[in-house]
Amino acid sequence: MGMSENAHAGTSAGAQDLPAGLVTTIAFPDNELRARIDSRIVDHQQGRLKFVVWSAEHQSRGLNPDTIDAVILPYMNAGPTIDRLHELKNLKYVQLQTTGYDAVVGKVGPEVTVATASGVHTAATAELAVALTLASLRGIDDAARDMLKEKWDHIHRRSLADRNIVIVGAGGIGNAIFDRFAPFEVKQTRVATRAREDERGPILAIDELEGLLPTAEVVVLITPLTPQTEKLVDAEFLAKLPDDALIVNVARGGVVDTDALVAELRTGRLHAALDVVDPEPLPARHPLWSTPNTLLTPHVGGDASAFHPRIANLLTEQVIRLGRGEKLLNVVEID
């Protein structure tokens, strides 16, 4: 069911098999990133590489798009650039700066190698998952709103300690979330595509998730958005959760049926702490802005200071591998 957000096992045609001796033209989304990576690649490693700028917003002067072999997509607002990838007749490689790759599905052919930024966002996203859980359970969002009204409202809240947590997704970020929750004296269960065991203990198969829901006090979503996971959290899923259960979504908004979640939140029965929503960005007057027991952050899970050195390290490694004609990291198979 494609539950793991780590994607690095497969290989495909294209940039992985560039013939020796040919120059590879790599398009960066802007001059700042191009210069940053250029400064990290020593001259002798650049013999087979040419760096240009090409994106929906920026393009090198006089550039012929047909000469581009590889594209590094923008981190933010990559959609317009993805929609123009079909213009690149010789495209062989696409590098995302995100962990998820659902945005490029159906936008490139099988001849194009697609790689993600798996691992780059792990620390920051795991931090936010824990922060959202703590903030919602301890009512920190309500306290922040009360400050604006100079209101002192002492309420008995739930502790994170002793909670029963189900993490849906057991890739790099899911496991990092598991590790960060561990010191809080909680019970944790991980769910993924298939049952297996690792150094952290057992991972249950996705078909066992339904049986876990009636006792799940916190459900953390960190699964890719695929046809199998789209609206995984629907009305039936939510109805199985106990009263006061908390949904934490740091995956993709489409993993949750927004209408079903709004209906439950309006009753006050459940809680939600969401870094991602559907639609996104959330439009004005959308009901999620005002549903009870709801904490929203604007898709900032991976966008923290930890991102910048990690993405630079990954892109440098990928560029060096392209120059050497070596296999790339984090390649995904696009159906």
Side-chain angles (χ1 to χ4, degrees), residues 71-85:
V71 168
I72 298 171
L73 292 173
Y75 175 44
M76 303 295 290
N77 193 31
T81 300
I82 292 172
D83 288 340
R84 292 185 57 187
L85 290 176

Side-chain angles (χ1 to χ4, degrees), residues 183-305:
F184 285 92
E185 303 175 32
V186 297
K187 177 185 176 183
Q188 299 191 78
T189 305
R190 290 173 296 159
V191 177
T193 305
R194 57 182 178 82
R196 58 188 187 274
E197 191 158 336
D198 62 13
E199 66 276 11
R200 295 172 178 83
I203 300 170
L204 303 186
I206 188 64
D207 57 10
E208 299 181 73
L209 177 59
E210 183 176 347
L212 299 172
L213 297 180
T215 58
E217 296 171 286
V218 179
V219 177
V220 180
L221 305 171
I222 184 58
T223 173
L225 178 60
T226 68
Q228 292 74 34
T229 63
E230 186 174 7
K231 295 188 178 180
L232 171 70
V233 180
D234 56 12
E236 183 179 358
F237 183 112
L238 295 169
K240 288 183 169 65
L241 292 171
D243 290 352
D244 289 324
L246 168 64
I247 296 287
V248 179
N249 192 2
V250 289
R252 286 289 186 267
V255 175
V256 176
D257 183 331
T258 301
D259 292 341
L261 180 61
V262 167
E264 280 282 7
L265 291 172
R266 279 175 167 164
T267 70
R269 194 181 76 84
L270 297 180
H271 299 250
L274 312 172
D275 185 49
V276 289
V277 293
D278 179 27
E280 191 173 302
L282 198 63
R285 294 181 293 280
H286 191 280
L288 270 178
W289 287 119
S290 58
T291 48
N293 304 332
T294 305
L295 171 59
L296 299 175
T297 53
H299 201 156
V300 294
D303 193 11
S305 58

